[in-house]
Amino acid sequence: MEAVIAYPETAAGIFARLKARLGDVAPEFELKAKAEIAAEINRLKREKNAIILGHNYMEPALFHSVPDYTGDSLYLSRVSAKADANIIVFCGVRFMAETAKILNPARTVLLPSAKGGCSLAASITAADVRALKRAYPGVPVATYVNCYADVKAESDYCCTSGNATAVVKALQKQGHQRIAFLPDEYLAKNTAKETGMEIVIRERDGNPGALKPAQNPAGETYMIGWKGRCEVHEQFTVEDIRMARKQFPDVRVLSHPECSPEVVANSDYAGSTTQMLRYVENTPQGRLLLLTECSMGDNIAAQNPNREILRICSIRCPHMGEITLEETLEALKQERYVIEVPEAIRAQAREALDRMIAIG
Ligand code: 13P
Ligand code: SF4
Protein backbone atom coordinates (compact mmCIF):
# COMPACT_ATOMS: atom_id res chain seq x y z
CA MET A 1 0.00 0.00 0.00
CA GLU A 2 1.11 3.60 -0.63
CA ALA A 3 2.45 5.67 2.24
CA VAL A 4 0.00 6.66 4.91
CA ILE A 5 -0.79 10.41 5.23
CA ALA A 6 0.96 11.92 8.28
CA TYR A 7 -0.89 14.55 10.33
CA PRO A 8 0.33 16.93 13.05
CA GLU A 9 -0.13 15.35 16.51
CA THR A 10 -1.82 18.21 18.35
CA ALA A 11 -5.02 20.19 17.79
CA ALA A 12 -2.82 23.30 17.41
CA GLY A 13 -0.80 21.59 14.70
CA ILE A 14 -3.93 20.43 12.87
CA PHE A 15 -5.40 23.93 13.18
CA ALA A 16 -2.26 25.42 11.58
CA ARG A 17 -2.59 22.96 8.70
CA LEU A 18 -6.33 23.64 8.23
CA LYS A 19 -5.73 27.39 8.42
CA ALA A 20 -3.06 27.18 5.71
CA ARG A 21 -5.40 25.21 3.45
CA LEU A 22 -8.85 26.57 4.30
CA GLY A 23 -8.14 29.91 5.98
CA ASP A 24 -9.51 31.83 2.99
CA VAL A 25 -12.88 30.09 3.01
CA ALA A 26 -13.65 29.24 6.67
CA PRO A 27 -13.50 31.37 9.84
CA GLU A 28 -10.73 30.61 12.36
CA PHE A 29 -13.13 29.71 15.20
CA GLU A 30 -14.68 27.01 13.01
CA LEU A 31 -11.31 25.62 11.97
CA LYS A 32 -10.22 25.57 15.64
CA ALA A 33 -13.30 23.55 16.59
CA LYS A 34 -12.72 21.18 13.66
CA ALA A 35 -9.06 20.76 14.65
CA GLU A 36 -10.07 19.75 18.21
CA ILE A 37 -12.38 17.07 16.81
CA ALA A 38 -9.75 15.87 14.32
CA ALA A 39 -7.10 15.59 17.05
CA GLU A 40 -9.46 13.43 19.13
CA ILE A 41 -10.23 11.26 16.08
CA ASN A 42 -6.52 10.77 15.40
CA ARG A 43 -5.93 9.87 19.08
CA LEU A 44 -8.75 7.29 19.01
CA LYS A 45 -7.40 5.90 15.75
CA ARG A 46 -4.12 5.04 17.47
CA GLU A 47 -5.81 3.77 20.65
CA LYS A 48 -8.16 1.45 18.74
CA ASN A 49 -5.79 0.49 15.92
CA ALA A 50 -8.09 1.97 13.29
CA ILE A 51 -7.51 3.49 9.87
CA ILE A 52 -9.66 6.02 8.08
CA LEU A 53 -10.28 5.90 4.34
CA GLY A 54 -11.57 9.17 2.85
CA HIS A 55 -13.26 9.41 -0.54
CA ASN A 56 -12.30 12.43 -2.67
CA TYR A 57 -15.79 13.89 -2.04
CA MET A 58 -15.31 14.34 1.70
CA GLU A 59 -15.83 17.84 3.07
CA PRO A 60 -12.56 19.82 3.19
CA ALA A 61 -12.07 19.96 6.99
CA LEU A 62 -12.37 16.16 7.17
CA PHE A 63 -10.44 15.47 3.97
CA HIS A 64 -7.44 17.50 5.15
CA SER A 65 -7.24 16.24 8.74
CA VAL A 66 -8.01 12.57 9.44
CA PRO A 67 -7.98 10.06 6.52
CA ASP A 68 -4.92 7.83 6.33
CA TYR A 69 -5.68 7.23 2.68
CA THR A 70 -7.70 9.36 0.25
CA GLY A 71 -8.77 8.52 -3.27
CA ASP A 72 -11.42 7.19 -5.64
CA SER A 73 -13.49 4.03 -5.21
CA LEU A 74 -10.95 1.85 -7.00
CA TYR A 75 -7.96 2.96 -4.94
CA LEU A 76 -9.85 2.77 -1.63
CA SER A 77 -11.03 -0.77 -2.53
CA ARG A 78 -7.43 -1.78 -3.05
CA VAL A 79 -6.36 -0.22 0.24
CA SER A 80 -9.21 -1.83 2.18
CA ALA A 81 -8.37 -5.26 0.74
CA LYS A 82 -4.88 -5.08 2.27
CA ALA A 83 -5.62 -3.17 5.49
CA ASP A 84 -4.47 -4.93 8.67
CA ALA A 85 -5.89 -2.46 11.23
CA ASN A 86 -8.59 -3.75 13.62
CA ILE A 87 -11.05 -1.14 12.40
CA ILE A 88 -11.59 0.47 8.98
CA VAL A 89 -13.63 3.68 9.21
CA PHE A 90 -14.94 4.38 5.72
CA CYS A 91 -15.61 8.07 5.12
CA GLY A 92 -17.68 7.58 1.98
CA VAL A 93 -21.08 6.03 1.28
CA ARG A 94 -22.51 2.63 2.24
CA PHE A 95 -21.70 0.72 -0.95
CA MET A 96 -18.04 1.71 -0.52
CA ALA A 97 -17.97 0.52 3.11
CA GLU A 98 -19.67 -2.71 2.03
CA THR A 99 -16.98 -3.21 -0.61
CA ALA A 100 -14.32 -2.87 2.12
CA LYS A 101 -16.13 -5.50 4.23
CA ILE A 102 -16.47 -7.86 1.26
CA LEU A 103 -12.73 -7.58 0.54
CA ASN A 104 -11.54 -7.73 4.14
CA PRO A 105 -14.15 -9.53 6.29
CA ALA A 106 -11.82 -10.02 9.28
CA ARG A 107 -11.86 -6.26 9.98
CA THR A 108 -14.58 -4.26 11.65
CA VAL A 109 -15.80 -1.78 9.03
CA LEU A 110 -17.57 1.36 10.26
CA LEU A 111 -19.58 3.89 8.25
CA PRO A 112 -20.05 7.23 10.05
CA SER A 113 -23.70 7.46 8.93
CA ALA A 114 -26.73 5.23 9.49
CA LYS A 115 -27.70 5.74 5.83
CA GLY A 116 -24.97 6.88 3.43
CA GLY A 117 -27.07 6.00 0.38
CA CYS A 118 -26.50 6.52 -3.34
CA SER A 119 -29.12 6.95 -6.09
CA LEU A 120 -27.28 4.50 -8.34
CA ALA A 121 -27.08 1.79 -5.68
CA ALA A 122 -30.80 2.32 -4.92
CA SER A 123 -31.75 1.97 -8.59
CA ILE A 124 -31.27 -1.80 -8.90
CA THR A 125 -31.92 -4.95 -6.84
CA ALA A 126 -30.61 -8.50 -7.03
CA ALA A 127 -34.04 -9.54 -8.41
CA ASP A 128 -33.59 -7.03 -11.27
CA VAL A 129 -30.20 -8.56 -12.14
CA ARG A 130 -31.67 -12.07 -12.06
CA ALA A 131 -34.43 -10.89 -14.43
CA LEU A 132 -31.81 -9.51 -16.82
CA LYS A 133 -29.87 -12.79 -16.65
CA ARG A 134 -33.07 -14.66 -17.59
CA ALA A 135 -33.65 -12.24 -20.48
CA TYR A 136 -30.03 -12.53 -21.73
CA PRO A 137 -28.85 -16.05 -20.81
CA GLY A 138 -25.07 -16.56 -20.88
CA VAL A 139 -24.33 -12.83 -21.13
CA PRO A 140 -21.70 -11.74 -18.58
CA VAL A 141 -22.81 -9.14 -16.05
CA ALA A 142 -20.46 -6.30 -15.10
CA THR A 143 -21.72 -4.02 -12.33
CA TYR A 144 -20.42 -0.64 -11.35
CA VAL A 145 -19.28 -0.81 -7.71
CA ASN A 146 -21.97 1.78 -6.90
CA CYS A 147 -24.41 -1.02 -5.99
CA TYR A 148 -25.12 -3.10 -2.89
CA ALA A 149 -23.51 -6.43 -1.98
CA ASP A 150 -26.41 -8.62 -3.14
CA VAL A 151 -26.25 -7.02 -6.60
CA LYS A 152 -22.48 -7.53 -6.74
CA ALA A 153 -23.11 -11.17 -5.76
CA GLU A 154 -25.24 -11.64 -8.90
CA SER A 155 -22.45 -10.21 -11.08
CA ASP A 156 -19.51 -11.76 -12.90
CA TYR A 157 -17.36 -8.64 -12.73
CA CYS A 158 -17.38 -5.36 -10.88
CA CYS A 159 -15.86 -2.16 -12.20
CA THR A 160 -15.38 1.43 -11.11
CA SER A 161 -15.36 4.62 -13.16
CA GLY A 162 -11.57 4.23 -13.17
CA ASN A 163 -11.53 0.86 -14.96
CA ALA A 164 -14.95 0.45 -16.66
CA THR A 165 -13.43 0.54 -20.16
CA ALA A 166 -10.68 -1.92 -19.18
CA VAL A 167 -13.26 -4.38 -17.78
CA VAL A 168 -15.44 -4.20 -20.90
CA LYS A 169 -12.39 -4.58 -23.17
CA ALA A 170 -11.30 -7.63 -21.14
CA LEU A 171 -14.75 -9.17 -21.68
CA GLN A 172 -14.61 -8.35 -25.40
CA LYS A 173 -11.19 -10.03 -25.56
CA GLN A 174 -12.72 -13.15 -24.01
CA GLY A 175 -15.03 -13.20 -27.06
CA HIS A 176 -18.24 -11.85 -25.50
CA GLN A 177 -20.37 -9.98 -28.00
CA ARG A 178 -23.03 -8.90 -25.53
CA ILE A 179 -22.24 -7.51 -22.09
CA ALA A 180 -24.66 -6.40 -19.39
CA PHE A 181 -23.30 -3.25 -17.78
CA LEU A 182 -25.29 -2.08 -14.75
CA PRO A 183 -26.75 0.08 -13.21
CA ASP A 184 -25.53 3.51 -14.43
CA GLU A 185 -27.16 4.38 -17.75
CA TYR A 186 -24.70 7.18 -18.48
CA LEU A 187 -21.53 5.33 -17.49
CA ALA A 188 -22.77 2.43 -19.65
CA LYS A 189 -23.41 4.74 -22.63
CA ASN A 190 -20.02 6.44 -22.20
CA THR A 191 -18.27 3.06 -21.91
CA ALA A 192 -20.19 1.66 -24.91
CA LYS A 193 -18.97 4.62 -26.96
CA GLU A 194 -15.38 4.05 -25.81
CA THR A 195 -15.50 0.37 -26.69
CA GLY A 196 -17.46 0.67 -29.95
CA MET A 197 -20.66 -1.08 -28.83
CA GLU A 198 -24.33 -0.37 -29.42
CA ILE A 199 -26.47 -0.23 -26.29
CA VAL A 200 -30.01 -0.96 -25.13
CA ILE A 201 -31.22 0.48 -21.81
CA ARG A 202 -33.58 -1.76 -19.81
CA GLU A 203 -35.75 -0.69 -16.90
CA ARG A 204 -38.00 -2.13 -14.25
CA ASP A 205 -41.71 -2.54 -14.88
CA GLY A 206 -43.24 -1.89 -11.47
CA ASN A 207 -41.88 -4.47 -9.03
CA PRO A 208 -38.20 -5.51 -8.84
CA GLY A 209 -37.57 -8.42 -11.18
CA ALA A 210 -40.09 -7.33 -13.86
CA LEU A 211 -38.66 -5.73 -17.02
CA LYS A 212 -40.32 -3.28 -19.38
CA PRO A 213 -40.19 -4.49 -22.99
CA ALA A 214 -37.35 -2.99 -25.08
CA GLN A 215 -36.04 -3.30 -28.62
CA ASN A 216 -32.52 -4.76 -28.68
CA PRO A 217 -30.05 -3.37 -31.28
CA ALA A 218 -30.21 -5.17 -34.62
CA GLY A 219 -26.65 -6.56 -34.59
CA GLU A 220 -25.09 -9.29 -32.41
CA THR A 221 -22.72 -6.96 -30.55
CA TYR A 222 -24.23 -4.72 -27.92
CA MET A 223 -24.27 -3.70 -24.32
CA ILE A 224 -27.28 -4.04 -22.04
CA GLY A 225 -27.60 -1.10 -19.67
CA TRP A 226 -29.96 -0.17 -16.84
CA LYS A 227 -31.88 3.03 -16.20
CA GLY A 228 -29.98 4.08 -13.07
CA ARG A 229 -28.64 7.60 -12.72
CA CYS A 230 -26.40 9.50 -10.33
CA GLU A 231 -28.65 12.22 -8.95
CA VAL A 232 -25.66 14.58 -8.86
CA HIS A 233 -23.94 14.06 -12.20
CA GLU A 234 -27.17 13.82 -14.23
CA GLN A 235 -27.75 17.50 -13.38
CA PHE A 236 -24.75 18.87 -15.27
CA THR A 237 -25.66 20.11 -18.74
CA VAL A 238 -24.04 21.08 -22.01
CA GLU A 239 -25.46 24.56 -21.33
CA ASP A 240 -23.34 24.75 -18.12
CA ILE A 241 -20.27 24.05 -20.25
CA ARG A 242 -21.30 26.52 -22.95
CA MET A 243 -21.78 29.29 -20.38
CA ALA A 244 -18.45 28.55 -18.67
CA ARG A 245 -16.63 28.60 -22.02
CA LYS A 246 -18.37 31.86 -22.97
CA GLN A 247 -17.21 33.54 -19.76
CA PHE A 248 -13.77 31.89 -19.68
CA PRO A 249 -12.78 30.90 -23.25
CA ASP A 250 -9.55 29.25 -22.01
CA VAL A 251 -11.28 26.96 -19.46
CA ARG A 252 -10.66 23.22 -19.65
CA VAL A 253 -13.65 21.13 -18.62
CA LEU A 254 -13.29 17.88 -16.66
CA SER A 255 -16.31 15.65 -16.12
CA HIS A 256 -17.04 12.39 -14.33
CA PRO A 257 -18.29 9.58 -16.61
CA GLU A 258 -21.53 9.44 -14.60
CA CYS A 259 -22.40 12.64 -16.55
CA SER A 260 -24.50 12.33 -19.71
CA PRO A 261 -22.71 11.35 -22.97
CA GLU A 262 -23.45 14.87 -24.28
CA VAL A 263 -21.67 16.47 -21.31
CA VAL A 264 -18.75 14.05 -21.63
CA ALA A 265 -18.51 14.73 -25.39
CA ASN A 266 -18.33 18.47 -24.70
CA SER A 267 -15.66 18.09 -21.98
CA ASP A 268 -11.90 18.14 -22.50
CA TYR A 269 -11.43 15.13 -20.23
CA ALA A 270 -13.60 12.55 -18.45
CA GLY A 271 -12.39 10.24 -15.69
CA SER A 272 -12.82 8.95 -12.17
CA THR A 273 -12.36 11.37 -9.29
CA THR A 274 -8.69 10.44 -8.91
CA GLN A 275 -8.11 10.52 -12.67
CA MET A 276 -9.47 14.09 -12.64
CA LEU A 277 -7.13 14.89 -9.76
CA ARG A 278 -4.17 13.57 -11.77
CA TYR A 279 -5.26 15.67 -14.77
CA VAL A 280 -5.21 18.78 -12.56
CA GLU A 281 -1.73 17.87 -11.23
CA ASN A 282 -0.42 17.26 -14.73
CA THR A 283 -1.90 20.51 -16.07
CA PRO A 284 -0.02 23.06 -14.01
CA GLN A 285 -1.57 26.14 -15.58
CA GLY A 286 -4.93 27.51 -16.66
CA ARG A 287 -8.50 27.52 -15.46
CA LEU A 288 -10.33 24.24 -14.95
CA LEU A 289 -14.03 23.49 -14.49
CA LEU A 290 -14.79 20.30 -12.54
CA LEU A 291 -18.20 18.75 -13.23
CA THR A 292 -18.49 16.54 -10.17
CA GLU A 293 -19.42 16.86 -6.47
CA CYS A 294 -18.25 20.31 -5.44
CA SER A 295 -16.23 19.23 -2.37
CA MET A 296 -13.65 17.63 -4.60
CA GLY A 297 -12.96 20.99 -6.27
CA ASP A 298 -12.83 22.55 -2.79
CA ASN A 299 -10.24 19.98 -1.71
CA ILE A 300 -8.06 20.53 -4.76
CA ALA A 301 -8.33 24.32 -4.44
CA ALA A 302 -7.30 24.10 -0.76
CA GLN A 303 -4.09 22.30 -1.73
CA ASN A 304 -3.41 24.45 -4.79
CA PRO A 305 -4.23 28.05 -3.84
CA ASN A 306 -2.76 29.40 -7.08
CA ARG A 307 -5.04 27.35 -9.32
CA GLU A 308 -8.40 28.55 -10.59
CA ILE A 309 -10.71 25.61 -10.04
CA LEU A 310 -14.28 26.39 -11.09
CA ARG A 311 -17.11 24.23 -9.73
CA ILE A 312 -20.91 24.26 -9.55
CA CYS A 313 -21.64 24.08 -5.84
CA SER A 314 -25.43 24.22 -6.11
CA ILE A 315 -25.18 20.54 -7.16
CA ARG A 316 -24.15 18.36 -4.18
CA CYS A 317 -24.27 14.72 -3.13
CA PRO A 318 -26.51 14.66 -0.03
CA HIS A 319 -25.28 11.16 0.85
CA MET A 320 -21.58 12.04 0.90
CA GLY A 321 -22.57 15.17 2.83
CA GLU A 322 -23.80 13.01 5.75
CA ILE A 323 -20.19 12.14 6.57
CA THR A 324 -18.69 14.84 8.77
CA LEU A 325 -15.84 15.09 11.28
CA GLU A 326 -18.45 15.09 14.07
CA GLU A 327 -20.03 11.83 12.82
CA THR A 328 -16.61 10.28 12.27
CA LEU A 329 -15.68 10.98 15.89
CA GLU A 330 -18.94 9.38 17.08
CA ALA A 331 -18.32 6.41 14.78
CA LEU A 332 -14.95 5.75 16.41
CA LYS A 333 -16.13 6.44 19.97
CA GLN A 334 -19.24 4.25 19.75
CA GLU A 335 -17.87 1.87 17.11
CA ARG A 336 -20.91 2.51 14.95
CA TYR A 337 -22.34 1.91 12.30
CA VAL A 338 -20.97 -1.58 11.80
CA ILE A 339 -21.20 -2.89 8.23
CA GLU A 340 -22.28 -6.54 7.97
CA VAL A 341 -22.63 -8.62 4.81
CA PRO A 342 -24.08 -12.18 4.99
CA GLU A 343 -21.27 -14.66 4.24
CA ALA A 344 -22.92 -16.36 1.23
CA ILE A 345 -23.46 -12.98 -0.46
CA ARG A 346 -20.03 -11.73 0.57
CA ALA A 347 -18.21 -14.73 -0.91
CA GLN A 348 -19.98 -14.37 -4.28
CA ALA A 349 -19.56 -10.59 -4.39
CA ARG A 350 -15.88 -11.06 -3.59
CA GLU A 351 -15.39 -13.13 -6.74
CA ALA A 352 -16.75 -10.28 -8.90
CA LEU A 353 -14.51 -7.76 -7.11
CA ASP A 354 -11.45 -10.02 -7.35
CA ARG A 355 -11.96 -10.36 -11.11
CA MET A 356 -12.04 -6.57 -11.34
CA ILE A 357 -8.92 -6.13 -9.22
CA ALA A 358 -7.10 -8.71 -11.37
CA ILE A 359 -7.86 -6.62 -14.49
CA GLY A 360 -6.47 -3.46 -12.87
P1 13P B 1 -15.07 7.48 -8.17
O1 13P B 1 -14.95 6.02 -8.24
O2 13P B 1 -14.65 8.16 -9.44
O3 13P B 1 -14.35 8.02 -6.98
O4 13P B 1 -16.60 7.88 -8.04
C1 13P B 1 -17.45 7.45 -7.03
C2 13P B 1 -18.72 8.17 -7.07
O5 13P B 1 -19.60 7.89 -6.31
C3 13P B 1 -18.88 9.23 -8.06
O6 13P B 1 -20.10 9.82 -7.92
FE1 SF4 C 1 -23.97 8.07 -5.61
FE2 SF4 C 1 -23.87 10.15 -7.25
FE3 SF4 C 1 -23.49 10.52 -4.65
FE4 SF4 C 1 -21.62 9.27 -6.14
S1 SF4 C 1 -22.28 11.39 -6.29
S2 SF4 C 1 -22.39 8.61 -4.13
S3 SF4 C 1 -22.92 8.15 -7.59
S4 SF4 C 1 -25.39 9.79 -5.63
Side-chain angles (χ1 to χ4, degrees), residues 274-291:
T274 289
Q275 287 166 342
M276 280 194 254
L277 210 62
R278 297 280 168 268
Y279 185 100
V280 177
E281 285 165 2
N282 295 331
T283 315
Q285 267 156 17
R287 239 182 228 113
L288 298 165
L289 168 65
L290 299 194
L291 296 180

PDB file of all heavy atoms in Angstrom, residues 274-291:
ATOM      1  N   THR A 274     -10.156  10.374  -9.000  1.00  0.00           N
ATOM      2  CA  THR A 274      -8.687  10.445  -8.912  1.00  0.00           C
ATOM      3  C   THR A 274      -8.062  10.736 -10.274  1.00  0.00           C
ATOM      4  O   THR A 274      -7.065  11.463 -10.368  1.00  0.00           O
ATOM      5  CB  THR A 274      -8.112   9.150  -8.292  1.00  0.00           C
ATOM      6  OG1 THR A 274      -8.460   9.151  -6.903  1.00  0.00           O
ATOM      7  CG2 THR A 274      -6.604   9.065  -8.417  1.00  0.00           C
ATOM      8  N   GLN A 275      -8.654  10.203 -11.335  1.00  0.00           N
ATOM      9  CA  GLN A 275      -8.114  10.517 -12.672  1.00  0.00           C
ATOM     10  C   GLN A 275      -8.240  12.015 -12.954  1.00  0.00           C
ATOM     11  O   GLN A 275      -7.346  12.621 -13.555  1.00  0.00           O
ATOM     12  CB  GLN A 275      -8.827   9.677 -13.742  1.00  0.00           C
ATOM     13  CG  GLN A 275      -8.388   8.211 -13.698  1.00  0.00           C
ATOM     14  CD  GLN A 275      -9.296   7.278 -14.496  1.00  0.00           C
ATOM     15  OE1 GLN A 275     -10.438   7.617 -14.818  1.00  0.00           O
ATOM     16  NE2 GLN A 275      -8.797   6.093 -14.792  1.00  0.00           N
ATOM     17  N   MET A 276      -9.330  12.632 -12.481  1.00  0.00           N
ATOM     18  CA  MET A 276      -9.472  14.094 -12.639  1.00  0.00           C
ATOM     19  C   MET A 276      -8.398  14.818 -11.838  1.00  0.00           C
ATOM     20  O   MET A 276      -7.790  15.782 -12.306  1.00  0.00           O
ATOM     21  CB  MET A 276     -10.859  14.553 -12.159  1.00  0.00           C
ATOM     22  CG  MET A 276     -11.950  14.314 -13.158  1.00  0.00           C
ATOM     23  SD  MET A 276     -13.439  15.238 -12.695  1.00  0.00           S
ATOM     24  CE  MET A 276     -14.428  13.926 -12.118  1.00  0.00           C
ATOM     25  N   LEU A 277      -8.167  14.311 -10.629  1.00  0.00           N
ATOM     26  CA  LEU A 277      -7.131  14.892  -9.755  1.00  0.00           C
ATOM     27  C   LEU A 277      -5.768  14.852 -10.438  1.00  0.00           C
ATOM     28  O   LEU A 277      -5.014  15.823 -10.449  1.00  0.00           O
ATOM     29  CB  LEU A 277      -7.096  14.049  -8.482  1.00  0.00           C
ATOM     30  CG  LEU A 277      -6.715  14.661  -7.165  1.00  0.00           C
ATOM     31  CD1 LEU A 277      -7.690  15.744  -6.778  1.00  0.00           C
ATOM     32  CD2 LEU A 277      -6.736  13.564  -6.085  1.00  0.00           C
ATOM     33  N   ARG A 278      -5.464  13.711 -11.065  1.00  0.00           N
ATOM     34  CA  ARG A 278      -4.170  13.572 -11.774  1.00  0.00           C
ATOM     35  C   ARG A 278      -4.099  14.560 -12.944  1.00  0.00           C
ATOM     36  O   ARG A 278      -3.055  15.138 -13.218  1.00  0.00           O
ATOM     37  CB  ARG A 278      -3.994  12.145 -12.312  1.00  0.00           C
ATOM     38  CG  ARG A 278      -3.944  11.084 -11.263  1.00  0.00           C
ATOM     39  CD  ARG A 278      -2.579  10.947 -10.585  1.00  0.00           C
ATOM     40  NE  ARG A 278      -2.693  10.108  -9.403  1.00  0.00           N
ATOM     41  CZ  ARG A 278      -2.936  10.536  -8.167  1.00  0.00           C
ATOM     42  NH1 ARG A 278      -3.043  11.835  -7.920  1.00  0.00           N
ATOM     43  NH2 ARG A 278      -3.061   9.712  -7.144  1.00  0.00           N
ATOM     44  N   TYR A 279      -5.227  14.724 -13.638  1.00  0.00           N
ATOM     45  CA  TYR A 279      -5.262  15.666 -14.766  1.00  0.00           C
ATOM     46  C   TYR A 279      -4.906  17.067 -14.265  1.00  0.00           C
ATOM     47  O   TYR A 279      -4.111  17.777 -14.879  1.00  0.00           O
ATOM     48  CB  TYR A 279      -6.655  15.653 -15.413  1.00  0.00           C
ATOM     49  CG  TYR A 279      -6.763  16.508 -16.658  1.00  0.00           C
ATOM     50  CD1 TYR A 279      -6.708  15.933 -17.925  1.00  0.00           C
ATOM     51  CD2 TYR A 279      -6.916  17.889 -16.580  1.00  0.00           C
ATOM     52  CE1 TYR A 279      -6.812  16.710 -19.071  1.00  0.00           C
ATOM     53  CE2 TYR A 279      -7.003  18.677 -17.719  1.00  0.00           C
ATOM     54  CZ  TYR A 279      -6.956  18.078 -18.964  1.00  0.00           C
ATOM     55  OH  TYR A 279      -7.049  18.861 -20.091  1.00  0.00           O
ATOM     56  N   VAL A 280      -5.495  17.449 -13.116  1.00  0.00           N
ATOM     57  CA  VAL A 280      -5.209  18.780 -12.555  1.00  0.00           C
ATOM     58  C   VAL A 280      -3.711  18.873 -12.240  1.00  0.00           C
ATOM     59  O   VAL A 280      -3.052  19.861 -12.591  1.00  0.00           O
ATOM     60  CB  VAL A 280      -6.044  19.034 -11.270  1.00  0.00           C
ATOM     61  CG1 VAL A 280      -5.688  20.391 -10.657  1.00  0.00           C
ATOM     62  CG2 VAL A 280      -7.537  18.973 -11.571  1.00  0.00           C
ATOM     63  N   GLU A 281      -3.155  17.839 -11.603  1.00  0.00           N
ATOM     64  CA  GLU A 281      -1.726  17.871 -11.226  1.00  0.00           C
ATOM     65  C   GLU A 281      -0.826  17.965 -12.457  1.00  0.00           C
ATOM     66  O   GLU A 281       0.198  18.629 -12.432  1.00  0.00           O
ATOM     67  CB  GLU A 281      -1.359  16.607 -10.429  1.00  0.00           C
ATOM     68  CG  GLU A 281      -1.877  16.635  -9.011  1.00  0.00           C
ATOM     69  CD  GLU A 281      -1.840  15.268  -8.334  1.00  0.00           C
ATOM     70  OE1 GLU A 281      -1.370  14.270  -8.947  1.00  0.00           O
ATOM     71  OE2 GLU A 281      -2.311  15.200  -7.203  1.00  0.00           O
ATOM     72  N   ASN A 282      -1.261  17.290 -13.530  1.00  0.00           N
ATOM     73  CA  ASN A 282      -0.417  17.259 -14.731  1.00  0.00           C
ATOM     74  C   ASN A 282      -0.673  18.440 -15.665  1.00  0.00           C
ATOM     75  O   ASN A 282      -0.106  18.511 -16.749  1.00  0.00           O
ATOM     76  CB  ASN A 282      -0.650  15.945 -15.512  1.00  0.00           C
ATOM     77  CG  ASN A 282      -0.188  14.759 -14.702  1.00  0.00           C
ATOM     78  OD1 ASN A 282       0.729  14.879 -13.884  1.00  0.00           O
ATOM     79  ND2 ASN A 282      -0.828  13.619 -14.889  1.00  0.00           N
ATOM     80  N   THR A 283      -1.584  19.326 -15.271  1.00  0.00           N
ATOM     81  CA  THR A 283      -1.896  20.513 -16.073  1.00  0.00           C
ATOM     82  C   THR A 283      -1.621  21.728 -15.184  1.00  0.00           C
ATOM     83  O   THR A 283      -2.534  22.271 -14.569  1.00  0.00           O
ATOM     84  CB  THR A 283      -3.389  20.500 -16.505  1.00  0.00           C
ATOM     85  OG1 THR A 283      -3.706  19.186 -16.968  1.00  0.00           O
ATOM     86  CG2 THR A 283      -3.696  21.509 -17.589  1.00  0.00           C
ATOM     87  N   PRO A 284      -0.362  22.105 -15.063  1.00  0.00           N
ATOM     88  CA  PRO A 284      -0.020  23.058 -14.005  1.00  0.00           C
ATOM     89  C   PRO A 284      -0.581  24.461 -14.188  1.00  0.00           C
ATOM     90  O   PRO A 284      -0.589  25.244 -13.251  1.00  0.00           O
ATOM     91  CB  PRO A 284       1.513  23.073 -14.012  1.00  0.00           C
ATOM     92  CG  PRO A 284       1.913  22.485 -15.307  1.00  0.00           C
ATOM     93  CD  PRO A 284       0.790  21.655 -15.830  1.00  0.00           C
ATOM     94  N   GLN A 285      -1.066  24.784 -15.388  1.00  0.00           N
ATOM     95  CA  GLN A 285      -1.566  26.139 -15.580  1.00  0.00           C
ATOM     96  C   GLN A 285      -2.964  26.164 -16.179  1.00  0.00           C
ATOM     97  O   GLN A 285      -3.392  25.184 -16.781  1.00  0.00           O
ATOM     98  CB  GLN A 285      -0.631  26.907 -16.509  1.00  0.00           C
ATOM     99  CG  GLN A 285       0.415  27.678 -15.715  1.00  0.00           C
ATOM    100  CD  GLN A 285       1.649  27.964 -16.501  1.00  0.00           C
ATOM    101  OE1 GLN A 285       1.649  27.871 -17.720  1.00  0.00           O
ATOM    102  NE2 GLN A 285       2.711  28.317 -15.797  1.00  0.00           N
ATOM    103  N   GLY A 286      -3.643  27.294 -15.996  1.00  0.00           N
ATOM    104  CA  GLY A 286      -4.931  27.507 -16.659  1.00  0.00           C
ATOM    105  C   GLY A 286      -6.108  27.167 -15.779  1.00  0.00           C
ATOM    106  O   GLY A 286      -5.987  26.456 -14.781  1.00  0.00           O
ATOM    107  N   ARG A 287      -7.256  27.713 -16.200  1.00  0.00           N
ATOM    108  CA  ARG A 287      -8.504  27.519 -15.461  1.00  0.00           C
ATOM    109  C   ARG A 287      -9.103  26.155 -15.762  1.00  0.00           C
ATOM    110  O   ARG A 287      -9.073  25.706 -16.912  1.00  0.00           O
ATOM    111  CB  ARG A 287      -9.488  28.570 -15.963  1.00  0.00           C
ATOM    112  CG  ARG A 287      -9.983  29.481 -14.923  1.00  0.00           C
ATOM    113  CD  ARG A 287     -10.978  30.453 -15.511  1.00  0.00           C
ATOM    114  NE  ARG A 287     -10.638  31.778 -15.081  1.00  0.00           N
ATOM    115  CZ  ARG A 287     -10.198  32.740 -15.881  1.00  0.00           C
ATOM    116  NH1 ARG A 287     -10.059  32.537 -17.168  1.00  0.00           N
ATOM    117  NH2 ARG A 287      -9.914  33.926 -15.403  1.00  0.00           N
ATOM    118  N   LEU A 288      -9.692  25.542 -14.747  1.00  0.00           N
ATOM    119  CA  LEU A 288     -10.327  24.237 -14.947  1.00  0.00           C
ATOM    120  C   LEU A 288     -11.732  24.270 -14.355  1.00  0.00           C
ATOM    121  O   LEU A 288     -11.937  24.866 -13.291  1.00  0.00           O
ATOM    122  CB  LEU A 288      -9.519  23.140 -14.235  1.00  0.00           C
ATOM    123  CG  LEU A 288      -8.081  22.944 -14.718  1.00  0.00           C
ATOM    124  CD1 LEU A 288      -7.297  22.121 -13.712  1.00  0.00           C
ATOM    125  CD2 LEU A 288      -8.063  22.253 -16.072  1.00  0.00           C
ATOM    126  N   LEU A 289     -12.676  23.643 -15.043  1.00  0.00           N
ATOM    127  CA  LEU A 289     -14.029  23.492 -14.490  1.00  0.00           C
ATOM    128  C   LEU A 289     -14.243  22.013 -14.187  1.00  0.00           C
ATOM    129  O   LEU A 289     -14.083  21.163 -15.068  1.00  0.00           O
ATOM    130  CB  LEU A 289     -15.076  23.960 -15.518  1.00  0.00           C
ATOM    131  CG  LEU A 289     -16.550  23.598 -15.215  1.00  0.00           C
ATOM    132  CD1 LEU A 289     -17.054  24.292 -13.951  1.00  0.00           C
ATOM    133  CD2 LEU A 289     -17.456  23.960 -16.401  1.00  0.00           C
ATOM    134  N   LEU A 290     -14.569  21.696 -12.927  1.00  0.00           N
ATOM    135  CA  LEU A 290     -14.792  20.300 -12.543  1.00  0.00           C
ATOM    136  C   LEU A 290     -16.285  20.026 -12.449  1.00  0.00           C
ATOM    137  O   LEU A 290     -16.975  20.628 -11.622  1.00  0.00           O
ATOM    138  CB  LEU A 290     -14.167  19.996 -11.178  1.00  0.00           C
ATOM    139  CG  LEU A 290     -12.660  20.156 -10.994  1.00  0.00           C
ATOM    140  CD1 LEU A 290     -12.205  19.495  -9.712  1.00  0.00           C
ATOM    141  CD2 LEU A 290     -11.899  19.564 -12.168  1.00  0.00           C
ATOM    142  N   LEU A 291     -16.780  19.117 -13.291  1.00  0.00           N
ATOM    143  CA  LEU A 291     -18.197  18.747 -13.231  1.00  0.00           C
ATOM    144  C   LEU A 291     -18.328  17.466 -12.416  1.00  0.00           C
ATOM    145  O   LEU A 291     -18.382  16.352 -12.959  1.00  0.00           O
ATOM    146  CB  LEU A 291     -18.774  18.594 -14.637  1.00  0.00           C
ATOM    147  CG  LEU A 291     -18.790  19.893 -15.453  1.00  0.00           C
ATOM    148  CD1 LEU A 291     -19.375  19.671 -16.828  1.00  0.00           C
ATOM    149  CD2 LEU A 291     -19.559  21.004 -14.726  1.00  0.00           C
TER     150      LEU A 291
END
